Amino acid sequence: MEPYVVIARRYRPLAFGEVLGQEPIARTLVHAIETGRIAHAYLFSGPRGIGKTSMARILAKALCCQKSEGPTPNPCGECEVCRGVGRGDDLDVIEIDGASNRGIEEVRTLRDNARYRPARARQKIYIIDEVHMLTVEAFNALLKILEEPPPHVKFIFATTESHRVPATILSRCQRFDFRRIPTRTIVERLREICAQEGMKAEDGVLFGVARASAGGMRDAQSLLDQLITLGGGEARTEDLEGLIGTVSGRRMEDLLAAVAKGDDAGALAVFGEAYERGVDAPEFLKQLVDTVRDFLVLLSCGPDTDLVEQTPDARVSLAAMAREWGKPRVLYALGLLTETLKTVKAVGEGRALVELALARLCGMGRLRTLDEVLADFEDLARRLSAGGGAPRLAAPVPAPAAAPAPSAAGPAPPPAGPAKGPERGLFGNAAVPEGALIGEEGESLTIDRVLAAWDGVLAKIAESSTATTSFLSAGRPVGLEGDALLVGFPETAGFQKAQFEDPDRIRLAERSLSEVLGRTLRIRTTVAEAAPTPVPEGAVPAPGAERAVGREEIERIHRTPIIEMLKSLFLARLAFVERT
């Protein structure tokens, strides 16, 4: 019985055109051979299983093929040299494992033997795999012959970690960086192999194999070989999941649907089942991150994009589920899952962390996006502007136990008295009618007029310095003394008062105040109590004066839709109310 040869060896590339995914490198080497511009040393770098050693052997055949008069881009593959290179045992094409021949003595032997001409081939070629494993002393011993080798010697180095190769070696080589092979290219090759092997395999299984290989053709072929052995000539989804330790596509859809519905129990059940079958936490998170990443790409590019490495039917199904999630949830989930994966890798044991992440994902439906919150506040601002006056923080107010019954006598008529003072805005400052002029020539300036224009003054300052506006907002105008405006800060705002008293900030505020009021005023700061002075019961407030808030009005404020929204949104409570 002949020994079995694995698929990865039987289907190894034998010509430049057969090295899939590395076409630019193949074209460069072919052109170099055709024009006679063949370097004395090459460095092939890149991940494992993507064709570095295969390309090195093909290049060696091209340089040494006996059926051509010189180097050829199309080696015959039948002469003694080509067959020996293909087997890896030719006398003149020496393959060396850098991991096990890494010392200075091995390199000295190589250097001594390199002086002798090849026995039968046109060139003596040294292929050193994993060259980064050589010691520093070995690299130093290699430098001289690598820079000026005998005319009959060529070097081809291969490495998966080019950053570990000394710069002195890199500078003496022509470097080619091999890339990961696209998933679709791997799937097409696996489909061809399945046809030649006479085995059945659905596209979904082949895509799973290709994705699990992470761009490496050899890894994909090895995994396919295992599936053939396990399935008796058929590649099955359940066999693939058992081999690579992943969650089935159907169960992953169940988990994603549970997350979309906020079903904590369903999502945790899927993970618990997978964990009991041996799927470890990092692998589960990687699969979940890949799927949510596909959501993001499908939402951004549509279901026809080639950026999602899935079958067409799977892309359509994932696109529908992605729309159900929505982009804000997808972005949140990606951030949460990647951070959880990082933590799980750091601590080693991650079942509880994965379950915590799933529970948080299931709570995504209760989250509100920043755009939604801003829209709510814009709606609040419109309603406040339309309805006039608004409550603001000032004195403690307990939440009402229950709404009181209306008085039998009906609502009391508004008290007679002087005309109302200027209407106040959201933060207790008066609202100025659009287009009104403050401080026109011949008109006396009062503190009420300053209060009416205060919002405009703050807005003007903010055009130059938001920090100054922030500090000044902690105070409010409390009086006029000649050409000076007194701005009072409560004792609790000592920091803001000190910061605002910077001369540059004072000058900016005075300039903005003068532009808005049309009068030149200086600004002086003082300490003033922020709490209002209660008005005796039954007294009529003077224009612009503050009055205490009644129980009925407090209860009405509690029932205001925007207040209820804010309490629900931020889990807040109404602490102080002042009416101005």
Side-chain angles (χ1 to χ4, degrees), residues 39-43 107 110-111 114 126 128 131 134 138-150 153-157 165-174:
H40 63 275
Y42 293 93
L43 176 70
V107 173
L110 179 154
R111 190 176 57 187
Y126 289 94
I128 304 181
V131 69
L134 297 183
F139 275 125
N140 291 335
L142 193 61
L143 282 176
K144 184 62 178 177
I145 191 172
L146 183 61
E147 185 172 19
E148 298 178 358
V153 174
K154 304 292 183 186
F155 291 96
I156 304 175
F157 303 138
V165 179
T168 51
I169 298 294
L170 293 174
S171 65
R172 289 165 169 82
C173 303
Q174 280 195 10

Side-chain angles (χ1 to χ4, degrees), residues 56-57 60 64 84-85 88-97 101 110 113-114 116-119 121 123-129 152-157:
R57 287 184 176 183
C64 300
V85 172
D89 59 6
D90 190 78
L91 295 175
D92 299 318
V93 179
I94 303 100
E95 293 191 26
I96 300 173
D97 176 22
N101 298 275
L110 179 154
N113 293 335
Y116 302 106
R117 297 191 60 82
Q123 299 278 336
K124 178 172 282 191
I125 299 175
Y126 289 94
I127 300 175
I128 304 181
D129 197 14
H152 59 271
V153 174
K154 304 292 183 186
F155 291 96
I156 304 175
F157 303 138

Side-chain angles (χ1 to χ4, degrees), residues 54-387:
S54 296
M55 187 75 83
R57 287 184 176 183
I58 295 169
L59 179 58
K61 293 178 187 179
L63 297 179
C64 300
C65 181
Q66 292 176 314
K67 288 194 176 181
S68 64
E69 297 181 357
T72 174
N74 301 301
C76 68
E78 299 176 356
C79 65
E80 286 297 322
V81 172
C82 287
R83 290 204 298 269
V85 172
R87 294 190 304 266
D89 59 6
D90 190 78
L91 295 175
D92 299 318
V93 179
I94 303 100
E95 293 191 26
I96 300 173
D97 176 22
S100 55
N101 298 275
R102 59 194 305 266
I104 189 172
E105 292 302 325
E106 288 86 349
V107 173
R108 284 175 177 168
T109 302
L110 179 154
R111 190 176 57 187
D112 293 340
N113 293 335
R115 296 199 301 264
Y116 302 106
R117 297 191 60 82
R120 60 181 180 182
R122 192 176 297 113
Q123 299 278 336
K124 178 172 282 191
I125 299 175
Y126 289 94
I127 300 175
I128 304 181
D129 197 14
E130 299 300 338
V131 69
H132 64 271
M133 297 294 290
L134 297 183
T135 64
V136 175
E137 293 78 12
F139 275 125
N140 291 335
L142 193 61
L143 282 176
K144 184 62 178 177
I145 191 172
L146 183 61
E147 185 172 19
E148 298 178 358
H152 59 271
V153 174
K154 304 292 183 186
F155 291 96
I156 304 175
F157 303 138
T159 178
T160 55
E161 301 182 37
S162 58
H163 62 279
R164 294 177 58 183
V165 179
T168 51
I169 298 294
L170 293 174
S171 65
R172 289 165 169 82
C173 303
Q174 280 195 10
R175 175 173 173 174
F176 291 92
D177 292 322
F178 286 59
R179 306 301 181 189
R180 295 187 185 276
I181 304 173
T183 298
R184 294 183 179 278
T185 303
I186 296 178
V187 169
E188 290 297 326
R189 181 57 175 161
L190 295 182
R191 191 179 289 120
E192 295 173 2
I193 293 174
C194 289
Q196 295 184 40
E197 293 289 321
M199 69 170 293
K200 299 178 181 179
E202 297 180 354
D203 280 354
V205 177
L206 298 182
F207 267 96
V209 171
R211 289 178 64 132
S213 66
M217 182 67 76
R218 185 176 65 230
D219 288 357
Q221 292 173 344
S222 298
L223 185 54
L224 180 64
D225 212 344
Q226 289 178 275
L227 288 176
I228 293 176
T229 303
L230 184 60
E234 182 179 358
R236 298 175 300 196
T237 301
E238 56 269 24
D239 293 336
L240 175 63
E241 293 161 1
L243 285 175
I244 63 179
T246 58
V247 182
S248 69
R250 180 182 59 82
R251 293 300 283 158
M252 181 59 71
E253 289 182 4
D254 292 342
L255 182 143
L256 296 172
V259 169
K261 296 174 184 175
D263 180 8
D264 304 47
L268 294 178
V270 173
F271 172 62
E273 174 190 312
Y275 192 83
E276 293 300 326
R277 288 194 298 105
V279 178
D280 61 357
E283 186 59 40
F284 178 86
L285 284 171
K286 288 178 185 176
Q287 188 178 358
L288 190 53
V289 167
D290 287 343
T291 305
V292 178
R293 173 262 175 194
D294 289 346
F295 279 6
L296 178 61
V297 175
L298 289 168
L299 286 172
S300 302
C301 306
D304 296 329
T305 178
D306 291 332
L307 297 177
V308 173
E309 298 168 338
Q310 297 281 2
T311 62
D313 291 341
R315 285 204 302 271
V316 172
S317 175
L318 287 173
M321 193 170 295
R323 289 191 295 271
E324 185 179 357
W325 275 46
K327 185 173 283 188
R329 291 186 183 184
V330 170
L331 294 173
Y332 172 78
L334 273 179
L336 173 62
L337 292 173
T338 51
E339 285 300 317
T340 303
L341 177 59
K342 187 188 305 180
T343 306
V344 166
K345 287 182 176 179
V347 301
E349 172 55 45
R351 180 170 187 173
L353 293 175
V354 175
E355 291 172 337
L356 174 61
L358 291 177
R360 293 177 64 183
L361 287 181
C362 290
M364 289 190 301
R366 296 187 292 271
L367 300 178
R368 298 171 63 83
T369 66
L370 181 59
D371 289 340
E372 291 172 339
V373 174
L374 290 177
D376 288 339
F377 276 110
E378 289 174 358
D379 181 61
L380 166 64
R382 285 193 298 270
R383 284 195 282 168
L384 290 175
S385 298

